[in-house]
Amino acid sequence: MRSNSIIKFSWKYTLSVFAVLITIFARESKAQKLNIKNNVFWDTKDGKPIYSQGGGIFTFKDPKTGQEKYYWYGVHYKEGETYRNSPNKTLPRQTFEAVTCYTSTDLVNWTHESDAMSKEVVNEQGRAFWVGRLGVAYVKEINKYAMFIQHGNRQGNQVLISVSDHPAGPFTWHQKKSMLEIIGTPNTGDQTVFTDEDTGKSYLVYSYGQGRNKIYVSEIGVKNGKVDLLNSVQIYHSSGREGNCMFKYKGKYYMAASNLYGWDSSLAYYLVADNIYGPYQPVNNMLVMDGASEDYAHVTQTGFFVTLRGSKQETVIYCGDRWADFAGNGLGYNQWVPLSFNGAKPYFNSLGSWNLDAKTGEWEVAADNNWVKNGSFEADRKKMPSPVKPVQTYLIGWETAVLKGNKVSLDTATSPVLNYANTEEERKVVIGERGLNISDKVPFERKVSQVISSSPYVKLPNGVYNLKASIKNTEGFDKLEMYAESGGKRHATNVKGGSQQFRMVELKGVQVRNGKVEVGFLAKGKALASCQVDDISLIKAK
């Protein structure tokens, strides 16, 4: 009897321990997928602001522990603080504070390691008026880390190379390099550092300093005892491009870039090759990434990429720069989304919220993702229609149907204006400089809509959603309606009365069927009646 009791007790104990282990494992597995939320300002894991613009992420070993970590370098501009605290005003300039260094093991929880390069070092040979577009490479020949950064002062725009014994710095002045003898201009147009994990070699990827109509790749190494560029290979010569950056996926090299729109957002372009020096296809003809056209790459410029070779899949993360403080492009400086691939063809998954497991490489759309593209209308930086670059008669991601009234055209005397310039006071309530404008000089009927559907890589789940928007309008509308239509069923709410202030309008209980829904606005107004709409969201109900 005693022996049987011991066996029973042992079996129950084993089952209990097994159940506990299963619970712990389930919790840990679930916790591994961590949320990346765009359209917000990011913090470190201890709640301090992350200031990192125009940089890159590289994998180095922590000198203290030997553990491999992600090292994220970028520039802290003083205006980044100002805009984060009061994002209702676009700032006219950028003031360098420091090159920051953050570390992480999961790409979500970040620790501020140091200010890797100080203002004193940057200004060592004269006050710098521009510092940005940087990356770091490990140079094994001298066992040092080298930072390449655009640097402009009274001596002109050139490339500053600084070095450090440790990945987190401090980086000290090494040499300032003119690119004149290499490419014909002293400066690079834009630049990033790319490290090929298969070879361990690092490269500077950069454009021609004037017009940016050429792109080059140079290997980083040691020449005459100094960290330097060992060669220069031109891989592209055509229309001007900036935001030059590179990634590698399944053995192929991808050269990516944005358009020449200043601080504004842009389409995301790419070329692909089997060798880092090319030839890149299509030759001198960059393609637009599928999925990036509806909101100008989630209202960003190409910044850099991170390739995760996880235990279950290889995932490339597009890390876009949103120069919000200098251009009013909404909230947040860093916008990250996962790419998908059809063979060698990349697809841009424009997501507001998604979950990532950096160890396995797996990712998924988060439950709180906003499915509307360009919902705050910040992709369209100019007054639309725009007769200047980019010449455009429509709002990115939206279809405008004129049922009655003046036609949309480049004729500024007759065409209705499609977007609205938010005032500083209004930007305390709504996001960014721009919003939707529905108005005309004559009696009009207008439909502005967007069709949201599953892509080949991201499924729009069926279920119940809530549609929201900030709206203000004058009197003079016979009809002003926000609607959603899916699977033959229409949901709508009438906007009643006029309001000089933006107010939240919500349409609850939208049933999405068959992975497709149309959302939009219908307006029938008298001459000069006007309605402004901003911050549209379609989020799955909890």
Side-chain angles (χ1 to χ4, degrees):
M1 291 290 293
R2 184 179 178 184
S3 176
N4 287 339
S5 297
I6 292 171
I7 291 171
K8 288 177 182 178
F9 174 78
S10 176
W11 176 242
K12 287 179 181 179
Y13 177 77
T14 302
L15 284 175
S16 178
V17 171
F18 183 71
V20 170
L21 289 173
I22 287 292
T23 302
I24 292 172
F25 178 76
R27 285 176 181 171
E28 287 182 346
S29 297
K30 188 176 181 181
Q32 284 177 345
K33 276 209 177 105
L34 303 173
N35 184 247
I36 294 177
K37 200 175 303 298
N38 291 319
N39 310 307
V40 295
F41 295 103
W42 291 358
D43 293 328
T44 61
K45 63 182 181 182
D46 58 352
K48 296 179 180 178
I50 290 177
Y51 295 115
S52 186
Q53 295 179 253
I57 290 177
F58 305 88
T59 304
F60 299 126
K61 285 186 178 181
D62 186 323
K64 296 178 182 177
T65 66
Q67 179 187 19
E68 280 202 341
K69 289 183 177 180
Y70 298 105
Y71 284 77
W72 180 11
Y73 306 88
V75 177
H76 174 188
Y77 296 109
K78 187 65 179 177
E79 288 75 12
E81 302 173 34
T82 307
Y83 190 82
R84 178 185 171 118
N85 293 329
S86 300
N88 62 310
K89 185 176 181 180
T90 303
L91 303 170
R93 64 184 62 85
Q94 70 288 327
T95 308
F96 176 84
E97 286 294 303
V99 173
T100 52
C101 176
Y102 300 88
T103 60
S104 174
T105 58
D106 56 26
L107 289 171
V108 176
N109 295 295
W110 293 94
T111 298
H112 180 252
E113 287 288 336
S114 66
D115 283 347
M117 180 187 284
S118 68
K119 188 184 295 186
E120 289 71 26
V121 172
V122 163
N123 294 332
E124 190 173 300
Q125 295 186 16
R127 183 179 178 274
F129 55 80
W130 166 248
V131 184
R133 295 294 188 185
L134 64 116
V136 174
Y138 174 66
V139 184
K140 62 181 179 181
E141 292 91 337
I142 58 173
N143 191 27
K144 288 184 182 293
Y145 299 86
M147 180 184 295
F148 286 72
I149 185 166
Q150 286 183 330
H151 183 277
N153 60 14
R154 64 176 179 266
Q155 297 172 343
N157 288 322
Q158 297 180 14
V159 177
L160 172 60
I161 304 173
S162 60
V163 296
S164 173
D165 293 328
H166 305 286
F171 284 81
T172 57
W173 193 289
H174 186 64
Q175 70 164 320
K176 190 172 180 182
K177 184 174 183 63
S178 170
M179 302 296 290
L180 189 62
E181 293 182 1
I182 300 174
I183 61 173
T185 59
N187 61 307
T188 60
D190 262 347
Q191 63 179 45
T192 52
V193 171
F194 166 73
T195 298
D196 187 342
E197 292 186 4
D198 294 319
T199 65
K201 294 181 179 180
S202 293
Y203 304 84
L204 189 68
V205 183
Y206 54 100
S207 61
Y208 189 66
Q210 296 177 359
R212 293 158 168 78
N213 63 334
K214 303 172 190 175
I215 299 176
Y216 306 86
V217 173
S218 292
E219 184 181 345
I220 295 170
V222 177
K223 186 190 296 182
N224 300 322
K226 291 278 191 179
V227 177
D228 210 328
L229 302 179
L230 303 184
N231 56 9
S232 179
V233 179
Q234 182 181 297
I235 62 171
Y236 169 84
H237 185 185
S238 188
S239 301
R241 295 285 180 261
E242 59 186 5
N244 317 289
C245 49
M246 186 176 283
F247 67 90
K248 191 176 184 181
Y249 176 76
K250 302 291 186 183
K252 291 185 179 292
Y253 297 87
Y254 291 79
M255 176 66 233
S258 62
N259 220 322
L260 303 184
Y261 291 168
W263 301 115
D264 297 340
S265 57
S266 161
L267 295 168
Y269 296 87
Y270 75 97
L271 298 169
V272 61
D274 293 322
N275 185 289
I276 193 164
Y277 295 122
Y280 282 81
Q281 303 293 333
V283 176
N284 296 328
N285 181 26
M286 281 192 153
L287 301 176
V288 176
M289 279 190 198
D290 288 346
S293 300
E294 291 82 3
D295 57 3
Y296 273 172
H298 208 80
V299 194
T300 69
Q301 295 178 2
T302 44
F304 60 92
F305 295 87
V306 177
T307 299
L308 295 175
R309 294 180 175 178
S311 59
K312 293 188 178 180
Q313 70 182 54
E314 189 172 339
T315 294
V316 177
I317 302 173
Y318 168 98
C319 302
D321 275 323
R322 179 177 288 180
W323 301 96
D325 37 356
F326 315 142
N329 290 321
L331 304 183
Y333 303 122
N334 314 105
Q335 312 291 319
W336 295 359
V337 303
L339 300 185
S340 296
F341 289 84
N342 180 9
K345 190 176 184 180
Y347 187 93
F348 187 96
N349 297 296
S350 184
L351 300 172
S353 183
W354 57 289
N355 303 321
L356 172 70
D357 186 332
K359 291 183 179 179
T360 66
E362 296 172 300
W363 61 271
E364 64 188 10
V365 182
D368 64 345
N369 179 60
N370 177 14
W371 292 88
V372 176
K373 302 280 185 70
N374 194 22
S376 290
F377 300 93
E378 300 311 313
D380 303 294
R381 301 303 311 126
K382 304 292 188 293
K383 182 180 178 182
M384 293 293 164
S386 173
V388 297
K389 187 175 66 173
V391 176
Q392 204 170 295
T393 58
Y394 58 93
L395 296 176
I396 292 290
W398 295 90
E399 182 176 338
T400 299
V402 176
L403 308 177
K404 179 182 176 182
N406 287 314
K407 294 187 180 299
V408 178
S409 70
L410 295 177
D411 186 343
T412 57
T414 61
S415 177
V417 177
L418 300 183
N419 57 359
Y420 173 74
N422 295 318
T423 67
E424 286 186 23
E425 192 63 28
E426 287 169 339
R427 286 172 63 183
K428 294 178 181 178
V429 180
V430 294
I431 295 170
E433 287 189 341
R434 298 287 174 175
L436 171 65
N437 184 58
I438 304 175
S439 184
D440 205 342
K441 297 174 182 177
V442 298
F444 65 94
E445 291 182 38
R446 188 90 48 81
K447 177 183 175 183
V448 181
S449 62
Q450 179 177 129
V451 175
I452 303 166
S453 61
S454 299
S455 78
Y457 309 101
V458 172
K459 182 179 179 181
L460 173 63
N462 294 332
V464 180
Y465 288 74
N466 296 326
L467 178 64
K468 294 181 181 180
S470 292
I471 299 176
K472 73 167 189 168
N473 61 281
T474 65
E475 300 285 354
F477 283 93
D478 296 327
K479 183 175 187 179
L480 186 56
E481 176 185 273
M482 181 171 76
Y483 74 92
E485 189 171 342
S486 178
K489 187 173 182 180
R490 182 181 176 82
H491 306 261
T493 182
N494 291 314
V495 180
K496 297 178 180 179
S499 173
Q500 295 181 355
Q501 310 295 327
F502 278 102
R503 63 198 190 278
M504 180 65 69
V505 176
E506 184 172 11
L507 181 58
K508 292 184 176 181
V510 174
Q511 291 280 348
V512 172
R513 296 178 173 87
N514 305 319
K516 186 176 182 180
V517 61
E518 178 181 297
V519 300
F521 303 86
L522 282 173
K524 182 178 181 180
K526 298 178 174 61
L528 300 180
S530 70
C531 171
Q532 288 76 44
V533 184
D534 213 337
D535 302 340
I536 306 166
S537 66
L538 181 72
I539 299 174
K540 209 166 191 295
K542 294 180 180 179

